[in-house]
């Protein structure tokens, strides 16, 4: 008869400790007011109070992921986020102890301004539950089978710029699925079948929506790009290719089109003047003005709508961080403190950030709806401006945004960060599939380049998602040619053995270019963009780069082309009798140097200009990819080599080298050399191999050229690795200080041991002493002020003849016994912050982190333990619900490679270090390990 009251008490607990996250600003105020609830909070009190909650200035600012370069290693802080005051007060919690509580009637005591109200309405989010709310099951019939939940503990939402707990999320999904299988009714079986097919349904929707967004971006980019030259008289919304369709091959618009009207023609008709030398000046001026407007608009949208400080989420738990600014603006009192580096979520290609997110890093808002919209719109503007950038890389970010948004409509993926990353891996494959029309290559790209956890189930779903995206885009027909991408080509000729020498040469050139491009872009970003006035004037940098681009590219027809159009024409084969000369890339007389040199010179100038512009363009604050510019540079080099080989064949047709041609003067195909050179250059820059080769196979619809492409790709990667070990994406991760743990990298540990990385010099929480809400709040704040918000502090004390040790972290508060048979951990700073906010009124009340069982009680049955745990849940000051009783531990004499595999293979967020007797020595968290690896790599 006592079960119902227990269930009611458990339900009351769910409304408190397991309730949905409240407004971040409200939680911060409650934590700041711990111990002062008897005094009303004035409007400006939060800014003027001088309690230990206000951080002292720290010596150095923090960056994106903030991997520190010097000790303390875990100098990593939460991002400053603005939270709108629109959430109701925290739900009431049944207080078992006699505590005088004065709960405010509203979250904030000051009146919001009109600007605050507007921002609140804009930033309103859909309702969300607690992260582990679905794990709470107090049914006595299933309590014993859910012992894993109690052993591993509950979690709250991960904070921005923190790592997820792969092990907890795996246990969580296992428990959820086990509960589904317990049901024997028809309804339960239907729910189980739906759960098994949910992943396939989501990837289908993601693939379809990715293709639709890609279609809209491509169509918008085509029209805006041609708008710089003129407009269509018959239909102003048509791009030039749609306005002037030609019966021959697509891309042959190098002649006059009566329906297309240039801006110089408009100027002549308006002024009534005759055609003269002023037409070029008018055309250039119009070209430049429209290009600057498009690029600056894209940059303004990116900077003002996707800045990291503009994102609001109730999932954020780092509300006590010194960098957390509730108003979104820096006031005078905080102006002396270092600011977190502001990042712009829609800028760049997004692939380095996606790699980091898939490895277990959390960036709230990076894959949201606002970023999706700005990325798509800004990408159309930036590509159409004529800058040396592409849209293929950002398609991966766009697809990931779609995957994140769609997957969040079901709690299976919404409340499990690890499971959601399975959908994100499939979405990345769809992004590459719509970029290159290569579903197989997209799947391999997701496996090779971006994904961190890629089991066979994810591979199948990724391939299916990529296939849906490619098929949908094929039906939408964005180019009007039936092709998924513009530069899909086919060749009539086969390659010959003697050409392998030239393919190897192209591989060497691609590797050299890739290595030095990565070096130059990294140093330009580090020494010029981040250390000059360009850092605080990103829009000015975009305008300057656009002006330089228009000056250098306008007079060269190949440099002025769009990236995809240039690659298509360079890849194309010059067929005898065809009227399409591909903008004079087809040499009329390959045996004449006078005919060959002008074409080679123009291509060479375009290649040099594109190379220089790509170095200074990649990294500016607007959506920009690296694929197409790199393919263009490599294709230029390959086309030059192909024309040179063709010239040699015409001059020495009887040579033994060309004997296999048997007198066929069209034996050499310069377009094939362009394709091989493009693949080599892209491999040198990004260090992709298998996926890139397969993408090229799918672009040519044949395996005939598998050997040339694979050979050049392997040679390019080998040469590039010798000259620069890291590719462009790894260098961007290093420059942005993203906490990415590269599972492919091998380290030399030399004479180092685990003791060299174990952290012992941290603050202490004594679990055998009187810990109050206020004292824990102050201890946690001191740790945050020292920028140890992902670190911890071990302590020890005597409790019932047991040596008990607590490790409380800004990420983890762990209580564990030195006895090897029983280890308790209270994980993660986020839980402590939320729980303290719930019981903020009881400032002097004692907080318990673990049930102080006697030694003989540790051997009691699971059922009796669960019963006692159920009884303790009536007490809101008992935080044992979040206990992790089975943390990963490692002995201090273990090899470092074993510890490395804990973080790489098991996805550990922290590892507890013990000596050979099982006694506590210290803790190593993931970010401390990353900082250690960074220092190790620098020394080596």
């Amino acid at each position: 008869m006592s079960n119902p009251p227990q269930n009611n008490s458990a339900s009351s607990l769910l409304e408190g400790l397991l309730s949905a996250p409240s407004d971040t600003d409200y939680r911060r105020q409650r934590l700041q007011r711990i111990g002062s609830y008897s005094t009303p909070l004035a409007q400006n009190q939060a800014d003027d109070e001088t309690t230990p909650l206000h951080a002292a200035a720290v010596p150095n600012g923090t960056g994106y992921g903030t991997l520190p370069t010097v000790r303390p290693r875990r100098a990593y802080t939460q991002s400053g986020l603005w939270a709108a005051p629109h959430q109701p007060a925290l739900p009431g919690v049944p207080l078992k102890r006699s505590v005088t509580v004065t709960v405010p009637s509203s979250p904030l005591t000051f009146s919001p301004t009109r600007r605050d109200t507007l921002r609140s309405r804009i930033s309103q989010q859909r309702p969300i539950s607690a992260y582990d709310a679905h794990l709470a099951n107090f049914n006595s019939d299933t309590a014993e089978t859910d012992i894993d939940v109690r052993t591993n503990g509950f979690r709250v939402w991960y904070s921005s710029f923190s790592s997820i707990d792969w092990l907890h999320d795996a246990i969580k999904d296992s428990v959820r699925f086990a509960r589904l299988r317990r049901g024997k009714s028809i309804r339960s079986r239907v729910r189980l079948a739906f759960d098994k097919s949910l992943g396939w349904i989501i990837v289908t929707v993601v693939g379809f929506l990715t293709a639709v967004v890609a279609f809209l971006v491509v169509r918008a980019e085509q029209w805006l790009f041609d708008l710089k030259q003129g407009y269509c008289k018959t239909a102003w919304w048509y791009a030039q290719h749609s306005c002037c369709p030609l019966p021959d091959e697509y891309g042959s618009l190098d002649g006059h089109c009566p329906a297309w009207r240039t801006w110089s023609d408009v100027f002549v008709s308006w002024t009534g003047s005759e055609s003269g030398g002023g037409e070029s000046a008018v055309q250039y001026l119009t070209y430049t003005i429209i290009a600057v407007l498009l690029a600056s608009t894209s940059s303004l949208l990116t900077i003002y709508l996707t800045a990291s400080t503009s994102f609001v989420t109730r999932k954020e738990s780092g509300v006590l961080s010194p960098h957390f600014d509730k108003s979104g603006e820096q006031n005078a009192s905080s102006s002396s403190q270092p600011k977190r580096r502001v990042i712009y979520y829609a800028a760049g290609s997004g692939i380095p950030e996606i790699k980091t997110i898939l490895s277990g890093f959390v960036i709230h808002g990076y894959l949201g709806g606002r970023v999706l919209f700005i990325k798509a719109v800004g990408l159309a503007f930036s590509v159409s401006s004529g800058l040396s950038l592409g849209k293929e890389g950002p398609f991966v970010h766009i697809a990931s945004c779609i995957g994140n948004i769609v997957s969040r409509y079901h709690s299976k993926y919404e409340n499990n960060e690890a499971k959601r990353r399975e959908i994100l891996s499939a979405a990345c494959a769809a992004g590459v599939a719509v970029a290159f029309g290569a579903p197989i290559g997209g799947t391999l790209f997701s496996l090779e380049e971006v994904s961190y956890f890629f089991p066979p189930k994810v591979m199948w779903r990724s391939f299916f998602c990529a296939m849906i995206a490619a098929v949908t885009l094929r039906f939408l027909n964005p180019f009007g040619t039936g092709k998924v991408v513009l530069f899909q080509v086919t060749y009539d000729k086969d390659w010959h053995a003697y050409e392998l020498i030239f393919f190897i040469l192209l591989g060497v050139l691609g590797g050299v270019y890739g290595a030095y491009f990565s070096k130059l872009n990294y140093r330009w970003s580090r020494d010029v963009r981040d250390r000059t006035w360009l850092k605080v004037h990103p829009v000015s940098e975009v305008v300057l780069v656009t002006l330089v681009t228009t000056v250098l590219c306008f007079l060269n027809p190949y440099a002025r082309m769009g990236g995809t159009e240039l690659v298509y024409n360079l890849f194309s084969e010059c067929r005898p009798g065809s009227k399409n000369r591909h903008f004079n890339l087809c040499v009329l007389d390959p045996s004449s140097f006078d005919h060959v040199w002008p074409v080679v010179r123009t291509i060479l100038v375009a290649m040099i200009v594109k190379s220089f512009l790509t170095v200074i363009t990649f990294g500016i604050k607007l959506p920009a990819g690296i694929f197409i510019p790199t393919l263009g540079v490599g294709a230029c080099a390959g086309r030059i080599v192909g024309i040179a080989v063709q010239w040699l064949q015409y001059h020495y047709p009887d040579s033994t080298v060309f004997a296999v041609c048997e007198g066929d003067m069209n034996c050499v195909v310069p377009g094939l050399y362009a394709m091989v050179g493009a693949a080599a250059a892209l491999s040198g820059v990004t260090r992709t191999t298998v996926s890139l080769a397969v993408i090229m196979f799918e672009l040519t619809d044949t395996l005939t050229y598998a050997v040339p492409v694979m050979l050049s790709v392997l040679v390019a990667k080998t040469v590039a690795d010798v000259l620069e070990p890291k590719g462009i994406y790894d260098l961007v991760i290093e420059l942005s200080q993203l906490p990415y743990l590269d599972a492919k990298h091998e380290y030399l540990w030399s004479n180092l041991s685990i003791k060299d990385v174990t952290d012992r010099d941290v603050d202490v929480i004594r679990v055998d002493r009187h810990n109050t809400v206020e004292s824990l709040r102050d201890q946690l704040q001191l740790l945050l002020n020292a920028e140890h918000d992902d670190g911890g502090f071990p302590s020890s004390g005597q409790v019932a003849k047991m040596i008990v040790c607590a490790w409380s972290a800004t990420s983890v508060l762990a209580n564990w016994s030195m006895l090897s048979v029983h280890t308790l951990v209270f994980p993660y700073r986020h839980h402590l912050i939320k729980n303290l906010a719930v019981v903020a009124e009881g400032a002097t009340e004692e907080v318990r982190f673990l049930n102080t069982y006697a030694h003989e009680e540790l051997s009691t049955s699971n059922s009796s333990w669960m019963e006692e745990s159920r009884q303790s849940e009536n007490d809101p000051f008992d935080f044992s619900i979040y206990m992790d009783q089975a943390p990963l531990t490692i002995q201090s004499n273990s090899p470092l490679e074993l510890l490395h595999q804990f973080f790489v293979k098991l996805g550990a967020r922290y590892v507890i270090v013990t000596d050979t007797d099982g006694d506590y020595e210290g803790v190593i968290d993931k970010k401390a390990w990353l900082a250690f690896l960074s220092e190790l790599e620098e020394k080596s």
Side-chain angles (χ1 to χ4, degrees), residues 440-509:
I440 302 177
T443 305
L444 293 176
F445 181 86
S446 179
L447 168 64
E448 179 182 6
E449 185 63 26
V450 295
S451 293
Y452 199 82
F453 178 68
F454 207 81
K457 175 180 63 177
V458 177
M459 180 185 298
W460 279 106
R461 288 180 181 173
S462 300
F463 178 62
F464 183 75
C465 186
M467 182 195 68
I468 293 295
V471 171
T472 304
L473 191 63
R474 181 67 177 265
F475 282 116
L476 292 175
N477 195 13
F479 299 102
T481 61
K483 298 179 180 178
V484 178
V485 292
L486 179 60
F487 46 88
Q488 277 184 313
V489 293
T490 56
Y491 302 115
D492 296 334
K493 305 291 183 180
D494 200 350
W495 61 278
H496 305 284
Y498 73 89
E499 293 179 301
L500 291 177
I501 300 175
F502 302 104
F503 296 150
I504 294 175
L505 173 63
L506 288 174
V508 173
L509 294 177

Side-chain angles (χ1 to χ4, degrees), residues 854-862 864:
H855 181 65
E856 59 272 10
E857 291 179 341
L858 296 178
S859 60
T860 58
S861 65
N862 287 337
S864 61

